[in-house]
Amino acid sequence: MAVTLSLVALFGLVLVFLLRSHSLTPGGAFTAAGFGFFLASTGAADPINHMAAALIDALPNI
């Protein structure tokens, strides 16, 4: 749960930065958020969560 909240905060900050620097339009941000929302309800959500957890666990060993 803590990892998920941290990743949400990280991606939110990146999204805010991209919007403020005009590298991403509000329409593109809405599309990306919608894609992520609908991707989370598919069978791909579990492998993506496992991959993110594995990457986070591997970071201290780098």
Side-chain angles (χ1 to χ4, degrees), residues 20-54:
R20 289 182 57 95
S21 68
H22 301 291
S23 299
L24 182 68
T25 62
F30 181 75
T31 303
F35 175 73
F37 178 77
F38 288 114
L39 182 65
S41 65
T42 66
D46 222 18
I48 292 171
N49 286 335
H50 289 302
M51 182 181 66

Side-chain angles (χ1 to χ4, degrees), residues 10-33:
L10 175 68
F11 287 134
L13 286 173
V14 170
L15 182 61
V16 167
F17 173 74
L18 289 173
L19 285 171
R20 289 182 57 95
S21 68
H22 301 291
S23 299
L24 182 68
T25 62
F30 181 75
T31 303

